[in-house]
Amino acid sequence: SGFAPFYAARAALFSEAAGEQQLTDLKKAIDLDKDEWRYSKLLSEYYIAHGDNGKALSVAEPFYKTHDKNYIIGMLYAKTLLLNNRYRQCSDLLAAIDILPFEGATVGRELYHEAALMQALEAMKNKNYSKALSLVEDAKKWPQNLGVGKPYPENIDERLEDWVTYLCYQKQGKREQAQRSLQAIVLFNPKVENTVSNFLPANDLVTAWALAKLDSKEKAGEWLNGEIKQYPHNKIIAWCRQVFDNKNLPEIGDFNNAEVRILEKLMLVE
């Protein structure tokens, strides 16, 4: 068949079982119709799902460069840059694209947030704490071009930003500001109202660290146990407990979670 949608449809039908066949079909669909963005998107996402971030980038990048009005491919390109540790390029790209607001349009802002914090950690690693603090402030922004409005303050979980801020102030010898950052972390109240959560589960690890500094490791452990009791099926909170206890990174699955990625990098920087 010389009909591109046939191969794309077959790739979708046999996605789990077919492996190589799925890859062959997606490449064939692109060969038959190089301008249809959905096929390049599917192929790039196939590579991401199979842990081949370099190939994902090699598909998304050239397509976006010839179709730079397509913000869906733009977001995918930004994601592949991020997954290949090209954080500055990711930030630059996100500053240049306009994402139309749509229901659940949070992906652009999440990519923006992760790229800014990852750059902050790189600045910390280079002992450039002023630059790191500036990048943390960038991470807190909600740029209008990314298609999502800023929530109410009590529904924004900035514990991770506050922890990075605390570490930078500590390194600069600014104890008072460092202390204020710790206080801000423990004052945040994670909750779920009408099935809507105001918190990022991985940031519970940050609260535990802050409580250990302000009070005791025992108090921090008790607080984490309370979170696990409240959300027994949340694997990321269980991960937080393991990391808090062992200070190493347990292998309990790849969460594909931005905060987990940032925390893992943070623990290598500290």
Side-chain angles (χ1 to χ4, degrees):
S1 170
F3 187 51
F6 165 80
Y7 293 99
R10 191 166 73 176
L13 272 175
F14 299 107
S15 57
E16 289 308 312
E20 282 301 311
Q21 182 64 52
Q22 186 190 9
L23 184 58
T24 305
D25 282 345
L26 288 173
K27 286 179 175 176
K28 179 75 173 170
I30 291 170
D31 283 343
L32 291 167
D33 187 351
K34 290 183 170 58
D35 280 324
E36 174 48 66
W37 63 269
R38 289 173 184 84
Y39 305 151
S40 289
K41 179 176 182 283
L42 287 167
L43 182 58
S44 188
E45 287 172 341
Y46 171 91
Y47 285 130
I48 291 170
H50 289 80
D52 202 335
N53 296 329
K55 280 188 180 165
L57 176 62
S58 74
V59 173
E61 186 167 51
F63 192 91
Y64 181 71
K65 289 194 170 169
T66 54
H67 302 78
D68 64 0
K69 297 287 180 281
N70 187 325
Y71 70 86
I72 294 173
I73 292 291
M75 280 197 289
L76 181 62
Y77 176 31
K79 183 176 184 175
T80 61
L81 285 169
L82 189 73
L83 292 173
N84 284 281
N85 307 327
R86 286 162 64 176
Y87 308 120
R88 176 67 193 272
Q89 272 180 279
C90 177
S91 292
D92 290 346
L93 172 63
L94 289 169
I97 64 175
D98 286 308
I99 298 170
L100 295 177
F102 60 92
E103 194 65 37
T106 57
V107 177
R109 202 276 167 173
E110 285 164 8
L111 292 168
Y112 164 85
H113 176 256
E114 183 176 355
L117 276 183
M118 287 295 202
Q119 287 175 85
L121 298 187
E122 288 181 341
M124 267 179 71
K125 193 176 181 181
N126 296 327
K127 299 183 169 41
N128 191 342
Y129 303 113
S130 298
K131 186 180 179 185
L133 287 165
S134 170
L135 284 158
V136 169
E137 287 309 306
D138 284 345
K140 291 180 180 180
K141 292 173 185 169
W142 292 74
Q144 281 186 317
N145 67 302
L146 298 181
V148 57
K150 186 175 182 178
Y152 292 113
E154 64 272 19
N155 292 327
I156 303 175
D157 183 350
E158 292 181 340
R159 289 177 288 174
L160 187 44
E161 291 93 317
D162 288 331
W163 182 256
V164 176
T165 301
Y166 157 74
L167 292 173
C168 290
Y169 281 142
Q170 277 282 90
K171 296 289 187 184
Q172 290 178 329
K174 295 178 178 174
R175 287 184 186 173
E176 206 175 307
Q177 288 102 315
Q179 205 69 5
R180 276 205 296 270
S181 298
L182 287 182
Q183 296 289 356
I185 293 165
V186 298
L187 283 172
F188 179 80
N189 180 26
K191 60 183 188 288
V192 175
E193 281 180 357
N194 300 323
T195 73
V196 179
S197 166
N198 77 333
F199 69 99
L200 301 161
N203 285 356
D204 279 1
L205 178 58
V206 172
T207 296
W209 286 341
L211 281 168
K213 297 275 181 197
L214 289 167
D215 197 317
S216 67
K217 190 161 184 184
E218 188 182 12
K219 178 86 178 279
E222 284 169 14
W223 184 85
L224 263 182
N225 285 344
E227 288 288 284
I228 289 167
K229 201 171 176 182
Q230 211 171 341
Y231 309 105
H233 303 298
N234 193 306
K235 290 181 179 173
I236 293 179
I237 298 176
W239 174 87
C240 292
R241 176 81 232 203
Q242 285 185 262
V243 177
F244 181 73
D245 287 342
N246 305 315
K247 189 64 176 139
N248 61 357
L249 303 174
E251 293 292 327
I252 56 167
D254 175 16
F255 300 114
N256 189 21
N257 178 277
E259 282 66 42
V260 169
R261 280 194 294 270
I262 298 163
L263 284 161
E264 287 182 333
K265 189 176 175 79
L266 172 65
M267 285 181 273
L268 295 173
V269 167
E270 272 187 271

